Amino acid sequence: MMAHDSQRITENNLIDGYSRKQDLLESILAKENIARAVKRVKRNKGASGIDDMEVTEIDDYIEKNWVTLSEEILSGKYKPQAVRRVEIPKEEKGKVRKLGIPTVIDRVIQQAIAQVLSPVFEKQFDDKSFGFRPKRSAHDALKVCQKNITEGYRYVVDMDLEKYFDTVNHSKLIQLLGESIKDGRVISLIHKYLNAGVIILHKFEETRVGTPQGGPLSPLLSNIYLNELDKELRKRGHRFVRYADDLMIFCKSRKSAERTLKNIRPFIEEKLFLKMNREKTVVSDIRGVKFLGYAFYDVKGEGRLRVHPKSIVKMKKRVKELTNRSNGWGNEYRRTKLNEYIRGWVNYFKLADVKTYLSGFDKTFRRRLRMVYWKQWKKIRTKFKYLRKLGISKHKAWEYANTRKGYWRIANSPVLSQSLSNRFLKGIGYIFFYDYYLKVTVN
């Protein structure tokens, strides 16, 4: 890192070093662009920053203060506020993802910058980079992975960049921005956002490295930085797929993959000043890696996708939470939340060969739904009433209404399978994983 310090670029010499005749900043602050940014920030909602301003207040604030605010930005006097640190638990026990939540007004300005700069840098980005880019998705990245496997690239370098967003070198990033942006005022403004600092437990901390996740500008800056790695991989002739900081390099043999890892490491650590996680960066055949929640395998040489076991565990845990019989939710709210989750999950994992698994899992899912209703009925007379209403004979209804068997066991009984049948559950609005998968599948 020290080797690069001698090239450190300051805000002052940025402004002196680039022509002020460029009108990029004026384009960012144009009324139409700001209106688009406000609309996007409002649509994304999100928590308030350190000033406690809510997204719903932004229109009124812009109307009253935009003239003064834009003049401050144009004159270089504007100073972004620090971001509020929020920690989101990761799947790994005890680990967290650090997010930085900017104030709503800073989110608007960052969004306005991103809207103008994205078309500039999109022309430079590699076509094997997919994260946080327009008209590109995780599915596109996964299809390229499939293609690589089918064409014989069955070994991968599964790259893990340790705390990537927290370790981006500001000087290197500013240098890369300066190669394409000729309005020094814009780079100065971005530099201020990078150095805005964070508030952690009411205490201010400086940010001399990193691009805090949580702001609209961070994904673009991330791609600008890692585009240097894309260019290097392309120059060396490697097949790769990158989604944000998740990177897979495909090779035809284990030996080739090991050599690739050894040779690319110095570039990552010495040229980009990033750290590779030595434990999580692995060389493996395609069956031993997880990428974007998916796993890979092949059938007669054809690359195929399945849901990674960890993603299955996560899904089962979430369904269990949503069907918790003690959470006090009403049936309509629970149904809405479950249907939203099922649609989202299936639409994301629809590329996977998961039809057989979902057919079996739906049986467990429906059993949990029946358990919820059985507990809601509580009293003997209520259970008897509903069982009779749902077509169970008087004798059987009374027998089961008085049973002392546990909820989970009763949920699997013939009586509940008959009364709260699959058709009944569908009729009151529930959707099931398997049915929805068949509806949207592209396999």
Side-chain angles (χ1 to χ4, degrees), residues 113-142:
I113 295 171
Q115 287 169 180
V116 171
L117 295 191
S118 288
V120 175
F121 287 98
E122 270 297 313
K123 299 172 185 176
Q124 303 174 23
F125 291 159
D126 196 279
D127 66 353
K128 295 303 182 287
S129 161
F130 295 91
F132 308 121
R133 295 183 59 191
K135 299 180 181 179
R136 286 171 169 260
S137 68
H139 286 179
D140 296 324
L142 290 159

Side-chain angles (χ1 to χ4, degrees), residues 338-385:
L338 278 165
N339 288 352
E340 285 175 355
Y341 180 74
I342 291 170
R343 289 191 185 99
W345 193 93
V346 171
N347 277 314
Y348 184 76
F349 285 106
K350 66 184 179 182
L351 298 185
D353 299 326
V354 72
K355 180 166 64 174
T356 301
Y357 176 81
L358 292 182
S359 177
F361 178 73
D362 270 341
K363 294 176 183 177
T364 302
F365 172 50
R366 287 189 286 263
R367 185 176 175 180
R368 289 196 63 84
L369 289 178
R370 291 176 182 125
M371 181 179 64
V372 168
Y373 278 93
W374 186 248
K375 184 176 183 186
Q376 284 178 350
W377 294 344
K378 292 182 180 178
K379 297 179 180 180
I380 293 174
R381 290 190 177 279
T382 307
K383 292 174 182 176
F384 176 75
K385 182 182 75 172

Side-chain angles (χ1 to χ4, degrees), residues 28-29 33-59 61-62 66 69 73 78-86 99-116 189 193 196 212-220:
I28 289 168
L29 299 178
N33 191 52
I34 294 297
R36 278 179 58 211
V38 169
K39 188 176 180 180
R40 181 68 176 270
V41 168
K42 287 169 66 179
R43 186 167 69 242
N44 291 342
K45 299 180 181 178
S48 59
I50 62 171
D51 63 353
D52 293 326
M53 181 190 293
E54 300 291 341
V55 172
T56 52
E57 302 174 60
I58 188 61
D59 285 319
Y61 183 89
I62 290 285
W66 183 247
L69 192 58
I73 296 171
Y78 181 73
K79 185 177 180 181
Q81 295 192 64
V83 300
R84 182 166 62 85
R85 170 62 50 81
V86 175
L99 299 183
I101 310 300
T103 63
V104 174
I105 189 61
D106 281 326
R107 293 212 291 272
V108 169
I109 297 169
Q110 286 192 33
Q111 179 63 38
I113 295 171
Q115 287 169 180
V116 171
L189 181 58
Y193 275 113
Q213 296 182 76
L217 195 53
S218 182
L220 176 61

Side-chain angles (χ1 to χ4, degrees), residues 311-323:
S311 299
I312 291 289
V313 169
K314 188 176 179 181
M315 178 268 278
K316 290 168 69 175
K317 181 182 178 183
R318 183 58 179 154
V319 169
K320 192 172 182 179
E321 291 170 354
L322 292 171
T323 55

Side-chain angles (χ1 to χ4, degrees), residues 141-150 152-158 233 237-242 247-253 256-257 260 284-286 289 291 296:
L142 290 159
K143 288 174 183 176
V144 174
C145 293
Q146 275 187 280
K147 182 173 182 289
N148 289 337
I149 295 167
T150 300
Y153 293 80
R154 290 187 169 81
Y155 290 87
V156 294
V157 178
D158 183 7
L233 292 170
H238 293 306
R239 289 203 181 203
F240 68 94
V241 176
R242 183 174 66 80
L247 174 66
M248 302 272 280
I249 307 173
F250 288 81
C251 303
K252 287 199 169 183
S253 69
S256 173
T260 297
S284 172
D285 67 51
I286 51 102
V289 296
F291 186 62
F296 306 100

Side-chain angles (χ1 to χ4, degrees), residues 384-405:
F384 176 75
K385 182 182 75 172
Y386 277 110
L387 289 175
R388 289 289 291 138
K389 188 176 181 180
L390 292 168
I392 304 301
S393 69
K394 186 175 181 180
H395 171 73
K396 276 290 180 185
W398 188 249
E399 177 188 341
Y400 272 81
N402 284 276
T403 185
R404 302 181 74 174
K405 293 177 182 177

Side-chain angles (χ1 to χ4, degrees), residues 109-290:
I109 297 169
Q110 286 192 33
Q111 179 63 38
I113 295 171
Q115 287 169 180
V116 171
L117 295 191
S118 288
V120 175
F121 287 98
E122 270 297 313
K123 299 172 185 176
Q124 303 174 23
F125 291 159
D126 196 279
D127 66 353
K128 295 303 182 287
S129 161
F130 295 91
F132 308 121
R133 295 183 59 191
K135 299 180 181 179
R136 286 171 169 260
S137 68
H139 286 179
D140 296 324
L142 290 159
K143 288 174 183 176
V144 174
C145 293
Q146 275 187 280
K147 182 173 182 289
N148 289 337
I149 295 167
T150 300
E151 293 178 358
Y153 293 80
R154 290 187 169 81
Y155 290 87
V156 294
V157 178
D158 183 7
M159 184 78 67
D160 187 278
L161 298 175
E162 188 172 350
K163 299 179 181 178
Y164 167 66
F165 286 91
D166 298 328
T167 58
V168 168
N169 183 282
H170 287 183
S171 295
K172 180 67 176 179
L173 177 56
I174 292 297
Q175 174 196 326
L176 296 174
L177 290 169
E179 291 172 3
S180 298
I181 300 173
K182 300 309 177 184
D183 188 334
R185 298 169 299 167
V186 174
I187 301 182
S188 176
L189 181 58
I190 294 173
H191 204 173
K192 287 177 180 177
Y193 275 113
L194 292 173
N195 291 331
V198 298
I199 300 294
I200 305 173
L201 298 176
H202 306 290
K203 183 179 178 182
F204 176 83
E205 288 189 12
E206 293 185 336
T207 49
R208 294 303 178 188
V209 293
T211 58
Q213 296 182 76
L217 195 53
S218 182
L220 176 61
L221 297 179
S222 166
N223 274 331
I224 291 170
Y225 203 88
L226 286 180
N227 188 49
E228 295 302 292
L229 178 56
D230 297 344
K231 290 193 291 187
E232 185 67 18
L233 292 170
R234 180 69 66 185
K235 187 172 73 174
R236 298 185 187 193
H238 293 306
R239 289 203 181 203
F240 68 94
V241 176
R242 183 174 66 80
Y243 192 95
D245 59 332
D246 289 331
L247 174 66
M248 302 272 280
I249 307 173
F250 288 81
C251 303
K252 287 199 169 183
S253 69
R254 182 178 292 274
K255 192 172 182 179
S256 173
E258 289 171 347
R259 186 170 58 247
T260 297
L261 174 58
K262 180 181 177 181
N263 292 339
I264 199 63
R265 182 181 291 146
F267 179 84
I268 291 172
E269 296 182 341
E270 297 170 18
K271 300 294 184 180
L272 295 182
F273 314 105
L274 298 172
K275 295 179 182 179
M276 278 176 46
N277 188 320
R278 303 295 176 100
E279 293 182 3
K280 292 187 176 181
T281 296
V282 298
V283 169
S284 172
D285 67 51
I286 51 102
R287 293 168 296 180
V289 296
K290 175 189 176 190

